[in-house]
Amino acid sequence: MVLVAATSAARPFARRLAPQIRRFAAPAGLDNPPAIYCIGLNYKKHAAETGLSEPRFPIYFFKPPTSLCGHGDDIEIPSVCHPEEVDYEVELAVVIGKAAKNVTEAEALDYVSGYAVANDVSARRWQGKKGGGQWCRSKAFDTFCPIGPRLVPASEIADPNDLEITTTLNGEVLQKSSTKDMIFSVQQCIAFMSQGTTLLPGTIILTGTPEGVGFTRKPPVFLKPGDTVTVAVEGIGEVTNKVVAAKEERAAERMIQGGDDSDLRGG
C-alpha cells in the first residue's frame, strides 16, 4: 500500500487536507519503491511524432511513490488539471533486485529482479509552463502511475528489448509498437543511471513510451472521466484502469502558472 504522508513541518497543512489523504494499492514487489526513475523520449518514432531530436543520452526524471496505483484502480484526474491535457503512456517497467552502482551494460540485466507494465499518465500543460518546465510535476499526481499486473520474474523474459507494447483506450488501440524501437536499451538505461549513483533494491525504472500518445494526434485525444484505458506488454500482462474525476472535498492551496493550448509537451 502507498500512503500519502506528511513531514512534521507540513502537518498543519496536512491536517487541513486530511479528508483527501487516501491509500492506493500496487502489486507486491512494486508497492514500496525507494525511487521511480522514468526515461523520457526513448522511442525513435515517439521522438519523431513530437518533432524533437533523438537524445544523445538518456533523459530521466522521477515520479513519486504516491503516484502508484494498481490494475483495477481508478485514475483520478484532479481539479487542477485542464479537461484536455491528461495523456496515456504505456511503458515497460524494470525493477532492480540488488543494489547497483557503476554497472556495465554487459552485467546490467543481472541486477534486474523483474518486469511490469506501467502507464506514465501525464498532464501535458503541467509538463510545460504550469510545471515550470519540469516534467516531474506533470507526472506526479496521485494515481498517475498505474503498474502491474504483477512483478514478472526476470527469468521469464528472455529479451526485454524485443516485446510488443500497446495502449487501448475504450476498445481502440492507440499505441502499438515494440521495445525494439527504444533508443536506449534496458541495459544502457541501467548502466547510465547507475554511474556514481546507487540504484537500491526495489527501484522502478519506466523505460519510455512509443508513438501514438494522445497530444500528438489530430485531433488530440486525452483521458476523460468515463474512459477505460489498458496498457499491455507482451509476456507480462496488462493493466486496466477507469478514469474518474478526483473527489476533492476542498481545494488545496496551489499556485497555477500560465499555460495555454499550445503548451503541450511529450516525454
Side-chain angles (χ1 to χ4, degrees), residues 88 166-175 228-232:
Y88 51 83
T166 63
T167 294
T168 303
L169 179 62
N170 299 327
E172 181 181 0
V173 177
L174 297 183
Q175 288 185 285
T228 298
V229 58
T230 298
V231 290

Side-chain angles (χ1 to χ4, degrees), residues 47-79:
E49 75 176 351
T50 64
L52 299 173
S53 301
E54 294 181 14
R56 292 180 56 199
F57 304 99
I59 300 170
Y60 73 86
F61 55 93
F62 294 92
K63 290 176 85 85
T66 49
S67 66
L68 290 172
C69 66
H71 171 74
D73 289 334
D74 291 338
I75 295 171
E76 300 184 353
I77 299 180
S79 61

Side-chain angles (χ1 to χ4, degrees), residues 34-39 59-65 67 120 134-140 193 197 199 203-204 206:
I36 304 173
Y37 287 79
C38 307
I39 308 297
I59 300 170
Y60 73 86
F61 55 93
F62 294 92
K63 290 176 85 85
S67 66
D120 180 18
Q134 298 292 323
W135 290 7
C136 297
R137 189 66 192 94
S138 70
K139 297 163 178 279
M193 290 186 292
T197 302
L199 306 179
T203 293
I204 295 173
L206 306 190

Side-chain angles (χ1 to χ4, degrees), residues 126-188:
W126 283 92
Q127 197 166 350
K129 294 178 182 177
K130 286 186 180 180
Q134 298 292 323
W135 290 7
C136 297
R137 189 66 192 94
S138 70
K139 297 163 178 279
F141 297 106
D142 290 351
T143 74
F144 271 33
C145 190
I147 194 167
R150 67 185 180 97
L151 178 61
V152 174
S155 60
E156 295 184 17
I157 304 298
D159 183 2
N161 303 299
D162 187 10
L163 301 172
E164 183 176 271
I165 184 168
T166 63
T167 294
T168 303
L169 179 62
N170 299 327
E172 181 181 0
V173 177
L174 297 183
Q175 288 185 285
K176 185 174 182 180
S177 185
S178 170
T179 54
K180 288 189 295 186
D181 193 49
M182 288 195 296
I183 297 168
F184 303 103
S185 68
V186 171
Q187 294 94 317
Q188 289 173 316

Side-chain angles (χ1 to χ4, degrees), residues 222-264:
F222 294 111
L223 299 178
K224 61 184 183 301
D227 285 346
T228 298
V229 58
T230 298
V231 290
V233 176
E234 178 186 359
I236 297 174
E238 60 184 38
V239 173
T240 298
N241 304 91
K242 291 184 178 180
V243 181
V244 302
K247 296 179 180 178
E248 299 171 342
E249 296 190 17
R250 66 186 73 176
E253 296 174 1
R254 54 185 178 261
M255 290 194 313
I256 303 178
Q257 300 178 12
D260 54 36
D261 288 349
S262 65
D263 192 37
L264 298 175

Side-chain angles (χ1 to χ4, degrees), residues 20-140:
Q20 299 183 55
I21 297 176
R22 294 187 51 199
R23 292 176 180 267
F24 303 102
L30 300 166
D31 56 346
N32 192 30
I36 304 173
Y37 287 79
C38 307
I39 308 297
L41 216 64
N42 195 32
Y43 279 71
K44 297 173 185 176
K45 292 179 182 177
H46 175 53
E49 75 176 351
T50 64
L52 299 173
S53 301
E54 294 181 14
R56 292 180 56 199
F57 304 99
I59 300 170
Y60 73 86
F61 55 93
F62 294 92
K63 290 176 85 85
T66 49
S67 66
L68 290 172
C69 66
H71 171 74
D73 289 334
D74 291 338
I75 295 171
E76 300 184 353
I77 299 180
S79 61
V80 293
C81 289
H82 189 278
E84 294 186 356
E85 73 163 313
V86 178
D87 210 343
Y88 51 83
E89 291 191 4
V90 60
E91 311 215 4
L92 169 67
V94 178
V95 180
I96 298 298
K98 57 183 178 181
K101 184 176 181 180
N102 297 325
V103 171
T104 66
E105 291 181 28
E107 62 185 354
L109 294 186
D110 294 339
Y111 289 82
V112 175
S113 64
Y115 302 93
V117 186
N119 189 348
D120 180 18
V121 180
S122 307
R124 296 303 185 191
R125 287 173 177 79
W126 283 92
Q127 197 166 350
K129 294 178 182 177
K130 286 186 180 180
Q134 298 292 323
W135 290 7
C136 297
R137 189 66 192 94
S138 70
K139 297 163 178 279

